[in-house]
Amino acid sequence: MKITENFTDSLSEYPLVLSIGMFDGVHIGHQSIIQKLNVIAATKNLQSAILTFWPHPRKVFNPNEDLKLLNTIDEKKYLLQKNGLQQLFLKEFNQDFRNLTAEEFVKEILVEKLQVKHLIVGYDHTFGKNRSGDFALLKKMGPEFGFEVEQVQAVNYNDHHISSTQIRNALSNGNVIYANEMLGYNYSISGKVIHGKKIGRTIGYPTANIEVDLIKLLPKKGAYIVDAFVKNLHYKGMLSIGTNPTVQGDSLSVEVYLLDFDEDIYGKEISVNFRKFLHEEIKFNGLEELMVRLDEDRRLTSEFNF
């Protein structure tokens, strides 16, 4: 997949079949659009492409909003490439870009810079200053500028439209199984292993503290069964998101205990996939109570069918 970042002075080398959007999560609805792009690209001798933005436009419109995303930019690149996309155009969403009218966006970006010949948009897609552009405008401008346009409907799951917002809500409620079903893969976080308070090792449960990208959405506080990957090796794990109230913790941490693992991995990268929510964050009356619960969580994790 070829990646072009902030293409101010760049032109696409090939005519494109393009879709536009944030594609946060690259969920099964997004995957169906990419499949459609690839089929049209093969049929019409075009290249499949997506135009997406960074930062998220909501951060520009509402800079004080604490918006968390399903993917970091590197995760999004990986998922788009994995789904067979040929070109990714990553545009900085700034005030100048925000002020382009819908007509200017079509002429200057889609036609002149990207050579779009076929455009696929979502059922609710709007664009341009004050969101004045929509499917009807694209249909009107298409013949004049030599591109076709089609609109795709949302993919439904359990009588709900699949959307990044639906997935964020599911994760925020601890419903990782439902989120994973909508994503089409297991939600993950990754980061460097950093030093923590090292209380876990004193009770036989040494944990790896994960430094997570600040833009990344963390699921609901509590304990989870996870897959963990360290140095390309797979381990079963149980992960905690919370403030460690039993030992008077005061800051949020993400800690994972790996079954059948005993290595020093400080400074190493670790990735975990969420598989099942175990329970809410609990404040125990002491370390003995905590150990009893950890023993039970370990039993449930070891018996889980990964």
Side-chain angles (χ1 to χ4, degrees):
M1 181 177 74
K2 181 180 178 182
I3 300 173
T4 303
E5 298 194 13
N6 212 20
F7 51 92
T8 307
D9 300 313
S10 299
L11 296 173
S12 172
E13 298 176 17
Y14 305 95
L16 303 177
V17 51
L18 179 87
S19 189
I20 310 165
M22 284 308 299
F23 285 77
D24 187 33
V26 193
H27 53 63
I28 59 175
H30 295 144
Q31 292 165 33
S32 70
I33 291 175
I34 297 169
Q35 289 168 9
K36 193 174 186 67
L37 289 171
N38 289 333
V39 168
I40 293 171
T43 304
K44 296 188 173 184
N45 196 29
L46 304 173
Q47 288 224 323
S48 62
I50 282 172
L51 170 60
T52 192
F53 310 101
W54 199 265
H56 196 292
R58 278 171 55 182
K59 293 295 287 182
V60 177
F61 289 112
N62 303 295
N64 295 323
E65 180 183 6
D66 186 24
L67 176 66
K68 301 296 185 184
L69 301 178
L70 300 172
N71 297 143
T72 65
I73 193 65
D74 286 339
E75 289 170 346
K76 184 185 294 188
K77 290 174 182 176
Y78 167 77
L79 288 165
L80 292 173
Q81 182 171 19
K82 183 179 178 182
N83 280 277
L85 188 73
Q86 292 173 296
Q87 293 210 51
L88 173 64
F89 294 90
L90 184 61
K91 182 74 178 76
E92 180 185 2
F93 195 91
N94 53 28
Q95 291 296 340
D96 288 341
F97 188 77
R98 170 184 176 180
N99 287 324
L100 284 177
T101 67
E103 291 81 3
E104 288 171 336
F105 174 76
V106 171
K107 184 175 183 296
E108 297 175 16
I109 304 297
L110 299 186
V111 177
E112 294 178 0
K113 292 194 181 298
L114 298 183
Q115 294 194 62
V116 172
K117 298 301 180 186
H118 197 115
L119 187 63
I120 297 176
V121 295
Y123 69 99
D124 58 352
H125 182 71
T126 58
F127 62 95
K129 188 175 181 179
N130 300 321
R131 297 180 176 178
S132 58
D134 56 12
F135 179 65
L137 179 66
L138 291 169
K139 287 286 286 185
K140 179 182 176 182
M141 295 184 72
E144 178 184 356
F145 290 102
F147 63 84
E148 297 179 69
V149 59
E150 62 180 294
Q151 192 175 47
V152 294
Q153 298 304 309
V155 174
N156 288 332
Y157 184 81
N158 281 358
D159 297 324
H160 293 288
H161 289 340
I162 292 177
S163 68
S164 303
T165 299
Q166 286 276 2
I167 296 167
R168 290 189 202 108
N169 290 341
L171 292 169
S172 296
N173 291 324
N175 196 346
V176 296
I177 292 175
Y178 185 40
N180 290 344
E181 289 169 346
M182 289 188 285
L183 286 167
Y185 60 89
N186 297 319
Y187 188 68
S188 69
I189 59 173
S190 59
K192 279 187 178 181
V193 176
I194 58 176
H195 290 277
K197 295 182 178 179
K198 299 181 175 62
I199 294 173
R201 67 178 54 199
T202 67
I203 56 174
Y205 283 94
T207 59
N209 283 54
I210 307 174
E211 186 177 44
V212 182
D213 192 307
L214 292 177
I215 199 66
K216 183 81 173 178
L217 176 72
L218 291 177
K220 177 182 180 178
K221 288 181 182 178
Y224 296 84
I225 295 174
V226 297
D227 287 296
F229 295 87
V230 183
K231 294 187 284 189
N232 295 319
L233 297 176
H234 172 256
Y235 301 91
K236 294 182 177 183
M238 47 201 229
L239 179 140
S240 169
I241 300 173
T243 58
N244 299 307
T246 303
V247 292
Q248 288 75 52
D250 56 5
S251 60
L252 189 71
S253 64
V254 180
E255 304 176 45
V256 60
Y257 169 77
L258 305 180
L259 278 64
D260 304 315
F261 183 85
D262 183 21
E263 290 185 37
D264 181 351
I265 53 172
Y266 287 118
K268 304 295 185 184
E269 286 286 325
I270 185 171
S271 177
V272 298
N273 298 331
F274 289 85
R275 303 300 297 271
K276 184 178 181 180
F277 180 71
L278 284 170
H279 56 78
E280 309 267 351
E281 182 176 45
I282 303 170
K283 182 176 182 179
F284 297 97
N285 292 319
L287 292 179
E288 287 188 8
E289 279 189 19
L290 171 59
M291 289 171 64
V292 170
R293 181 70 248 190
L294 288 172
D295 288 345
E296 175 62 9
D297 289 352
R298 180 188 170 106
R299 181 188 69 79
L300 293 170
T301 301
S302 65
E303 293 175 357
F304 184 78
N305 185 21
F306 283 84

